[in-house]
Amino acid sequence: MAGLNQFTGKLGFILVAAGAAIGLGNIWRFPYLVAEYGGGIFVLIYILFIITFGFAIVAAETAIGRKTGKGSLDAFLSLGSKYPVFAKITGLLTLVISILITSYYTVIAGWIVKYGVSYISGAGELLAADGGAFFTSYIGSGIEPILWTLGIFAVVAVILSFSIQKGLQRVCVILVPALIVCMAVLAVYILTMPGGIDGLLYCFVPDFSKFSVGTVLAALGQTFFTLCIGSGAYITYGIYLSKKQSIEKSVHSIEICDTVVALLAMLLVIPIVFAFSGGSPEILGSGPGLLFEQIPQALATLGGGGTILGAVFFLILFIAALTSLFVLIEVPVAVLISRLHLRRVTAVMIVSTITALLSLVVNFGYSIWKDFTIFGNPILDSLDMLVSNILMPISALFCCILIGWMMDIRVITDEMEENGQKFRWKKFFVIMIKYVAPVCILAIMISSVVDMFI
Ligand code: PHE
């Protein structure tokens, strides 16, 4: 693919891949799901999914990329050549998923820029006004959120049009550790506030009475979203992974970084709800607005320090979102380049234009089309649920069926051992891909549908 080179050094791939995994999924999505779906019980199920089929599918996708050396659509077509229709659907699904995520991810990234700029310009107090009312009025304000979203597209398109590899690696080396340190500082401060510890307990003590099919489906969706499963991201990055490097170890490292950031974000956002609103169920269940409504309140108690921390926090969050956006757009770009032999710039322009138009629809969902809701949810929430809870699981299921049953899975396990070391989790991997993951994904999806109707 024009413009990209192999990752350099052991850490290159891990950091860039962790940069893709770490993003709004960890910091914006995970805390509000933990709050909404019963705290500790959700966290427990989520971690279980991460270490079981989360690991297996990410490793498989990376191996597919490295083995075939092709973008997601062609990679599936070449592996599943005996079942071309099935392979094509699996490949196309990755494109639909990455395009849909981009269309709302950029909208949220736009809100983040607005918050960051407000802190930098000293207007941070405004964001905390009326316990979060600012957020709702801002996202419905029409033109400003749209301009920020389009600005983000412009930045991403320019960066992606050039060779991104080296720059991306450099950004991630600084970003991932900086993000962890900044969040840890904030989390420690918040835990020392009255009520902070109640928030901590809510996050870690599982309350089994809150267990439901909805909790399991939400945890499954979050696992896929945060690990980019089914989006073709790791197939695309796997292409540039050196044969000398262990996929198994890399995936473990990526998962550890990703989970640490998600848990830190949870320890930041949820204790704030307990410190400021006594853990009000209404606020805990407030969904996608949780981060934007709660963080400014805690920061407001810190005076000038809060302004600086707010600026740093939203800046880092923005960079975390950017590193995910790069791969989201790169997935369809890689396919366009290899299929239609387009120039990199042209492919980036086509994908950015399509996704930018879709992002307008998402933005309108809060202003001129705010009466249009799906099951009572705005367009953004509905798209997010469609992608994470339905399309990503289906895409992962198809991927498991394709590599577990339609071809010889040894092609993938051999690829894992290309670096000359034994694949220690081989048996576990095969059982996961062939049996556990497909059966669990199907069972969870079917029971969620049944649950909706009873
Ligand atoms: N994993 C990213 C996050 O948690 C989102 C993402 C999904 C990125 C799919 C790339 C592909 O924010």
Side-chain angles (χ1 to χ4, degrees):
M1 191 191 320
L4 298 188
N5 314 300
Q6 214 166 56
F7 294 106
T8 49
K10 243 193 189 159
L11 275 181
F13 172 75
I14 295 176
L15 286 170
V16 175
I22 298 171
L24 302 179
N26 309 58
I27 304 167
W28 157 75
R29 205 172 188 277
F30 185 66
Y32 87 72
L33 289 176
V34 176
E36 197 169 328
Y37 287 97
I41 185 74
F42 177 87
V43 178
L44 192 72
I45 302 172
Y46 168 76
I47 291 184
L48 192 76
F49 286 159
I50 291 277
I51 51 186
T52 52
F53 34 90
F55 163 78
I57 307 176
V58 173
E61 290 189 356
T62 312
I64 291 174
R66 190 168 78 174
K67 172 83 201 161
T68 60
K70 293 182 174 150
S72 55
L73 178 59
D74 293 296
F76 282 122
L77 280 174
S78 73
L79 288 178
S81 50
K82 284 199 217 130
Y83 303 88
V85 176
F86 190 86
K88 195 166 192 174
I89 295 175
T90 313
L92 287 176
L93 258 177
T94 64
L95 300 184
V96 172
I97 290 170
S98 51
I99 288 174
L100 288 182
I101 297 182
T102 308
S103 69
Y104 65 87
Y105 212 85
T106 41
V107 173
I108 304 165
W111 302 342
I112 288 166
V113 176
K114 163 74 183 172
Y115 273 53
V117 168
S118 300
Y119 279 109
I120 292 169
S121 63
E125 308 259 296
L126 196 75
L127 307 175
D130 298 332
F134 171 84
F135 176 68
T136 325
S137 66
Y138 171 70
I139 60 176
S141 65
I143 196 75
E144 192 183 343
I146 292 179
L147 290 179
W148 284 122
T149 309
L150 296 180
I152 286 166
F153 272 110
V155 171
V156 175
V158 169
I159 299 177
L160 272 183
S161 298
F162 299 106
S163 169
I164 56 163
Q165 210 74 64
K166 288 275 149 48
L168 200 57
Q169 231 172 276
R170 255 178 247 141
V171 169
C172 291
V173 169
I174 304 167
L175 171 82
V176 178
L179 187 69
I180 294 178
V181 171
C182 177
M183 288 173 62
V185 171
L186 254 179
V188 168
Y189 166 69
I190 287 156
L191 286 176
T192 59
M193 290 177 114
I197 297 296
D198 293 333
L200 181 80
L201 294 177
Y202 182 80
C203 295
F204 284 119
V205 180
D207 175 354
F208 289 95
S209 69
K210 295 205 173 121
F211 180 86
S212 71
V213 176
T215 311
V216 182
L217 181 68
L220 186 81
Q222 175 61 15
T223 305
F224 290 152
F225 190 84
T226 195
L227 292 178
C228 320
I229 291 174
S231 70
Y234 287 121
I235 301 181
T236 309
Y237 274 173
I239 303 174
Y240 309 102
L241 177 61
S242 140
K243 292 269 184 199
K244 287 194 221 116
Q245 201 161 332
S246 157
I247 292 181
E248 186 180 4
K249 284 194 196 134
S250 308
V251 175
H252 284 310
S253 311
I254 295 164
E255 285 198 323
I256 292 171
C257 291
D258 186 59
T259 309
V260 166
V261 175
L263 294 179
L264 272 175
M266 166 186 87
L267 288 180
L268 237 172
V269 177
I270 295 184
I272 301 178
V273 182
F274 280 80
F276 286 86
S277 326
S280 132
E282 202 185 303
I283 295 187
L284 285 173
S286 61
L290 195 67
L291 172 93
F292 295 94
E293 289 161 0
Q294 299 304 311
I295 294 271
Q297 298 203 44
L299 291 172
T301 65
L302 282 165
T307 304
I308 297 171
L309 219 53
V312 176
F313 177 77
F314 283 102
L315 178 72
I316 296 182
L317 189 50
F318 171 65
I319 303 172
L322 265 192
T323 53
S324 296
L325 267 176
F326 289 146
V327 70
L328 278 166
I329 297 189
E330 186 65 31
V331 171
V333 164
V335 171
L336 280 184
I337 293 176
S338 70
R339 288 249 130 183
L340 307 178
H341 306 291
L342 296 180
R343 279 169 56 218
R344 189 169 180 79
V345 186
T346 319
V348 170
M349 289 307 151
I350 293 176
V351 177
S352 308
T353 310
I354 295 172
T355 44
L357 288 174
L358 286 172
S359 79
L360 290 182
V361 175
V362 176
N363 259 315
F364 289 152
Y366 293 106
S367 51
I368 50 175
W369 293 340
K370 74 167 178 295
D371 295 329
F372 176 77
T373 55
I374 303 164
F375 292 119
N377 291 315
I379 297 174
L380 187 148
D381 305 27
S382 310
L383 265 183
D384 183 44
M385 261 187 274
L386 168 74
V387 171
S388 321
N389 294 359
I390 301 173
L391 297 182
M392 287 178 127
I394 294 180
S395 173
L397 176 68
F398 282 16
C399 174
C400 290
I401 295 175
L402 196 127
I403 55 178
W405 297 97
M406 296 182 162
M407 58 175 267
D408 188 351
I409 195 167
R410 274 176 299 182
V411 173
I412 302 296
T413 51
D414 287 353
E415 181 62 37
M416 305 277 198
E417 293 180 334
E418 269 296 301
N419 62 327
Q421 282 173 10
K422 252 184 93 146
F423 179 17
R424 284 184 298 148
W425 286 42
K426 189 157 148 183
K427 272 218 181 85
F428 172 88
F429 173 84
V430 173
I431 294 171
M432 276 296 143
I433 295 287
K434 283 185 95 143
Y435 309 101
V436 182
V439 170
C440 289
I441 294 172
L442 254 186
I444 295 167
M445 292 188 71
I446 293 173
S447 43
S448 314
V449 174
V450 173
D451 199 52
M452 264 169 66
F453 293 101
I454 52 169

